[in-house]
Amino acid sequence: GRIFTLTQTPASTSAVSVYINGIFQVQSGSHATIGAGDYSLSGTTLTLVAANAIDASDEVVVKYIKQ
């Protein structure tokens, strides 16, 4: 899947860290030189960008401070 639902609402979008197979992912719009980024966040819905496809064997870890 590309869309994940967090169990709690994050305190802010900057309070979220996403890793895929141990590699830090950049949030869309959080860094001017990176462009589209690797994921977007709206409320509790985290969506990976289309180019960031994952396989069933990939490990996705999301760390965040809840509201």
Side-chain angles (χ1 to χ4, degrees), residues 25-49:
Q25 306 297 297
V26 177
Q27 184 176 354
S28 298
S30 65
H31 197 281
T33 61
I34 296 181
D38 299 310
Y39 71 94
S40 63
L41 181 65
S42 177
T44 59
T45 303
L46 185 140
T47 306
L48 297 175
V49 296

Side-chain angles (χ1 to χ4, degrees), residues 32-67:
T33 61
I34 296 181
D38 299 310
Y39 71 94
S40 63
L41 181 65
S42 177
T44 59
T45 303
L46 185 140
T47 306
L48 297 175
V49 296
N52 205 359
I54 60 171
D55 297 322
S57 62
D58 290 337
E59 181 177 310
V60 177
V61 175
V62 179
K63 297 180 179 183
Y64 62 97
I65 299 169
K66 70 178 189 165
Q67 194 170 43

Side-chain angles (χ1 to χ4, degrees), residues 1-39:
R2 289 186 357 170
I3 299 174
F4 300 89
T5 302
L6 305 176
T7 57
Q8 300 286 323
T9 302
S12 70
T13 57
S14 63
V16 178
S17 297
V18 178
Y19 303 85
I20 297 177
N21 297 327
I23 300 172
F24 179 71
Q25 306 297 297
V26 177
Q27 184 176 354
S28 298
S30 65
H31 197 281
T33 61
I34 296 181
D38 299 310
Y39 71 94

